[in-house]
Amino acid sequence: MTKAVIQFEHVKKAFGNEVVIPDLSFTVNQGELVTILGSSGSGKTTTLKMINGLIKPSAGTIRIDGQTITDLDLVKLRRHMGYVVQQIGLFPHMTVGQNIAVVPQMLKWDQERIDQRVTELLNLVQLAPKDYVDRYPQQLSGGQQQRIGVARALATNPPYVLFDEPFGALDALTRLELQKEVKRIHESLADKTFMFVTHDINEALFLGQRVLIMHEGQIEQFATPEEIVAHPATEFVADLLGTVQQNQNLWGHYHD
Ligand SMILES: Nc1ncnc2c1ncn2[C@@H]1O[C@H](COP(=O)(O)OP(=O)(O)OP(=O)(O)O)[C@@H](O)[C@H]1O
Ligand SMILES: [Mg+2]
């Protein structure tokens, strides 16, 4: 049964006089993994931050699980939304375990429950708890730090997780590993809705069950990767796909 959990209805966003999103409407269903693909400045981060209330729309309506976002307590809303960004911002003076437990601590979970959750999450992101829980962030590779970022975002078991180009700074192989990891984690957790922003078409097509392609704040196409590849909706999308054809090796690498 499909249930619409993120709904944009004629959403507009202007910063001062600059309209970056003129009129955006789309719906995401519970349990989907949607990637948002677009070039720099196309409005991806702005769209993501409107979902968790960090940015307010200038006009239009956003509904989360049926409720208009302006009616929701934003602190509570954000607690329901994990957030993973490129500059993960792990606290350098805290261990891996303490970093993952920041929000549970804030919510005053008892220590036993916290320890259990940290162990569970480290296993989920495939870092052996006994080897990693007491390390400090500077004792981890970039890819491992991102895994901790993902674990931290999942700490309170939120129904939504938003990713804003989390793997942009990683080398191609580490990046591929983490993409597989995100896919696996999404499959292993029932009913979690993931929104994943990227400017990398390979990443978008590999990860997304549906891909929302943005250009200058507007949707060029919002469809499954198969549909996009078979029937690009606009010339812009066709040109984008052209860049994949030039990159056959990588494409093969992703899909073999
Ligand atoms: N706080 C702000 N004040 C003014 N303009 C802003 C602000 N935030 C974003 N913009 C502008 O809005 C447009 C969209 O920005 P956004 O960050 O959403 O792009 P993006 O698609 O995430 O790009 P990138 O891939 O570079 O991260 C850009 O032109 C940007 O300059
Ligand atoms: Mg951005």
Side-chain angles (χ1 to χ4, degrees), residues 40-41 43-46 164-165 197:
S40 182
K44 304 180 300 294
T45 295
T46 304
D164 195 347
E165 310 219 29
V197 162

Side-chain angles (χ1 to χ4, degrees), residues 169-198:
L170 304 174
D171 65 85
L173 273 180
T174 307
R175 197 169 167 153
L176 179 59
E177 243 174 65
L178 281 163
Q179 290 163 358
K180 287 180 177 163
E181 203 68 353
V182 165
K183 218 172 169 156
R184 188 186 57 74
I185 289 171
H186 179 260
E187 279 162 13
S188 75
L189 304 169
D191 288 338
K192 300 268 183 246
T193 308
F194 281 16
M195 299 290 289
F196 191 107
V197 162
T198 178

Side-chain angles (χ1 to χ4, degrees), residues 49 70 75 132 138 165 175 209 211 230 246:
K49 285 185 172 172
T70 45
V75 174
Y132 288 94
Q138 73 269 21
E165 310 219 29
R175 197 169 167 153
Q209 295 171 331
V211 184
Q246 290 162 17

Side-chain angles (χ1 to χ4, degrees), residues 5-235:
V5 288
I6 299 173
Q7 293 167 283
F8 274 50
E9 292 166 14
H10 300 294
V11 169
K12 175 184 167 183
K13 180 63 195 176
F15 292 105
N17 290 330
E18 193 198 351
V19 177
V20 298
I21 293 177
D23 182 1
L24 187 63
S25 300
F26 66 86
T27 297
V28 172
N29 297 315
Q30 185 175 41
E32 276 196 290
L33 199 178
V34 168
T35 48
I36 302 181
L37 171 67
S39 50
S40 182
S42 57
K44 304 180 300 294
T45 295
T46 304
T47 301
L48 208 63
K49 285 185 172 172
M50 287 196 288
I51 296 172
N52 67 6
L54 282 174
I55 291 181
K56 287 188 177 46
S58 310
T61 306
I62 298 171
R63 275 182 241 280
I64 304 298
D65 201 8
Q67 278 189 289
T68 310
I69 208 167
T70 45
D71 296 338
L72 295 169
D73 174 343
L74 288 184
V75 174
K76 268 195 202 146
L77 175 73
R78 266 171 233 146
R79 220 164 267 156
H80 281 91
M81 293 196 176
Y83 195 29
V84 189
V85 295
Q86 191 174 312
Q87 311 75 12
I88 26 176
L90 296 177
F91 298 111
H93 59 286
M94 290 186 185
T95 64
V96 160
Q98 289 164 339
N99 266 286
I100 295 173
V102 165
V103 177
Q105 286 284 3
M106 223 166 65
L107 297 176
K108 303 206 174 4
W109 290 14
D110 60 60
Q111 197 57 44
E112 197 182 334
R113 183 173 172 209
I114 290 178
D115 292 344
Q116 200 183 336
R117 184 67 182 146
V118 166
T119 301
E120 219 170 78
L121 286 163
L122 282 172
N123 283 324
L124 185 70
V125 298
Q126 312 218 317
L127 293 173
K130 66 173 176 37
D131 297 334
Y132 288 94
V133 72
D134 292 325
R135 284 206 207 182
Y136 288 88
Q138 73 269 21
Q139 299 171 314
L140 302 174
S141 71
Q144 289 166 343
Q145 290 185 31
Q146 284 308 112
R147 284 174 195 263
I148 302 304
V150 172
R152 189 177 59 180
L154 291 166
T156 59
N157 201 23
Y160 307 89
V161 187
L162 311 180
F163 300 82
D164 195 347
E165 310 219 29
F167 310 144
L170 304 174
D171 65 85
L173 273 180
T174 307
R175 197 169 167 153
L176 179 59
E177 243 174 65
L178 281 163
Q179 290 163 358
K180 287 180 177 163
E181 203 68 353
V182 165
K183 218 172 169 156
R184 188 186 57 74
I185 289 171
H186 179 260
E187 279 162 13
S188 75
L189 304 169
D191 288 338
K192 300 268 183 246
T193 308
F194 281 16
M195 299 290 289
F196 191 107
V197 162
T198 178
H199 62 250
D200 177 344
I201 185 165
N202 294 298
E203 185 165 78
L205 293 172
F206 172 70
L207 262 183
Q209 295 171 331
R210 287 198 296 158
V211 184
L212 192 158
I213 303 181
M214 281 184 93
H215 178 54
E216 294 178 352
Q218 318 211 49
I219 297 180
E220 295 281 333
Q221 190 165 8
F222 185 18
T224 63
E226 294 76 18
E227 172 72 14
I228 287 170
V229 171
H231 307 287
T234 65
E235 217 165 300

